Amino acid sequence: MTSDKPGPPEFDTSVAHQARIYDYLLGGKDNYAADRAAAETGLKIWPEGAFTARANRAFLGRAVRYLAGEAGIRQFLDIGTGIPTAGNTHQVAQGIAPETRVVYVDYDPIVLAHARALLTSTEAGATEYIDADLRDTQTILDQAAQLLDLTKPVAVTLLAILNAIPDSDDPDGIVAQLMGAVPSGSYLAISHPGSDLLSREALAGMTDVADRMIRQAFIFRSQEQVARFFEGTDLVAPGLVRVEEWRPDPGSAPGRSSMWGAVGRKR
Ligand SMILES: C[S@@+](CC[C@H](N)C(=O)[O-])C[C@H]1O[C@@H](n2cnc3c(N)ncnc32)[C@H](O)[C@@H]1O
């Protein structure tokens, strides 16, 4: 790991963590004063942050529904799981296909502490939780292979996590390694905060807040940079769009997020 930000977080309530800031923005209770302070400071600069968090979570639901439904996927590798909340990946997928197998991965101890809520699989399916850093990609693949059959299609979901991986840690290489380990017909779902979806002032302000107040890196990337992660896949319609514009449910809440999202099918 070559990042100037440290590796897996310790359980430290004095510094804001992305998992807990996100929990706060979604209205959860698993957050501390430092998380709330960072979130509130960020919202002054980036008021769309709260809508963006909710829109991202709703994108997770629609993307998983699509993958388990129309795309017929029965295996998920969900990396950057976050603190369990309503509509976790296995609940959405197993609601459609109870035999679905889901492997969750996160490196934050608070997510590990809540992992039991992720291990409530249907009898026909299965779930597993791996406490690991995305940058230890081979470890994740080796452990995931104990539950998932990596010779059959897998949906790899990287939702609101690649923003914590600086370029110096080679996020393109990490995504390529994950997708290289699964067969053609597998899927990749990514959501990522967009540097081109914020004003220049907001972007500078958020970068400053992240540097001062958040333990992990928090990087915005352009639509073009996010599109590069999908190399070797064909994007499912409507392509790489703001998350709320990806196959929206009728009557969904209005707003404009600052988050790109897409689903691609491996060629
Ligand atoms: C903002 S939450 C997103 C949760 C969920 N994927 C969603 O979109 O609703 C990002 C999660 O990624 C995790 N994360 C960040 N960097 C990570 C890394 N290098 N390895 C594993 N997990 C990481 C954080 O701990 C956090 O729980």
Side-chain angles (χ1 to χ4, degrees):
M1 285 174 215
T2 52
S3 161
D4 56 351
K5 288 272 183 175
E10 315 254 301
F11 190 77
D12 180 355
T13 59
S14 70
V15 192
H17 285 206
Q18 283 175 26
R20 303 189 313 228
I21 294 174
Y22 186 60
D23 174 76
Y24 175 67
L25 293 174
L26 292 179
K29 295 200 164 27
D30 295 299
N31 49 73
Y32 298 87
D35 309 306
R36 296 190 283 275
E40 291 299 340
T41 307
L43 286 175
K44 285 197 187 102
I45 299 163
W46 180 33
E48 302 78 20
F51 175 78
T52 297
R54 291 194 302 274
N56 179 68
R57 191 69 193 178
F59 170 71
L60 179 151
R62 297 194 308 283
V64 172
R65 231 159 56 210
Y66 167 82
L67 290 164
E70 223 170 292
I73 290 290
R74 297 292 175 264
Q75 309 192 94
F76 287 76
L77 179 55
D78 177 335
I79 310 178
T81 304
I83 297 168
T85 177
N88 301 301
T89 297
H90 76 285
Q91 289 155 332
V92 177
Q94 292 184 343
I96 293 168
E99 70 274 29
T100 303
R101 299 181 156 232
V102 178
V103 170
Y104 288 109
V105 183
D106 206 291
Y107 73 168
D108 193 308
I110 198 162
V111 182
L112 176 64
H114 289 275
R116 224 174 321 132
L118 301 167
L119 302 175
T120 55
S121 176
T122 55
E123 198 134 319
T127 60
E128 193 50 83
Y129 182 82
I130 302 174
D131 178 27
D133 190 316
L134 171 56
R135 292 166 289 188
D136 295 328
T137 316
Q138 195 54 48
T139 305
I140 292 173
L141 287 168
D142 291 345
Q143 291 190 31
Q146 292 172 21
L147 187 73
L148 306 180
D149 177 352
L150 299 186
T151 67
K152 303 232 169 78
V154 176
V156 177
T157 62
L158 295 165
L159 303 183
I161 177 176
L162 290 170
N163 48 278
I165 309 292
D167 288 348
S168 54
D169 283 337
D170 190 18
D172 294 284
I174 290 172
V175 176
Q177 188 177 351
L178 289 168
M179 294 312 289
V182 294
S184 163
S186 292
Y187 284 82
L188 173 66
I190 289 177
S191 61
H192 199 298
S195 55
D196 39 4
L197 296 176
L198 263 79
S199 70
R200 201 180 285 220
E201 300 74 54
L203 188 60
M206 284 307 297
T207 304
D208 176 55
V209 171
D211 286 349
R212 282 189 299 108
M213 300 183 82
I214 305 179
R215 193 181 179 283
Q216 296 111 316
F218 192 84
I219 296 151
F220 291 75
R221 292 191 169 94
S222 68
Q223 186 179 27
E224 198 186 322
Q225 287 172 310
V226 178
R228 270 217 309 270
F229 292 130
F230 287 95
E231 243 167 54
T233 74
D234 294 316
L235 291 187
V236 170
L240 179 59
V241 294
R242 288 178 199 257
V243 282
E244 70 277 19
E245 291 167 355
W246 197 88
R247 299 178 175 235
D249 287 330
S252 44
R256 269 166 90 71
S257 79
S258 314
M259 189 78 106
W260 293 116
V263 174
R265 183 178 192 274
K266 182 174 171 175
R267 285 183 208 117

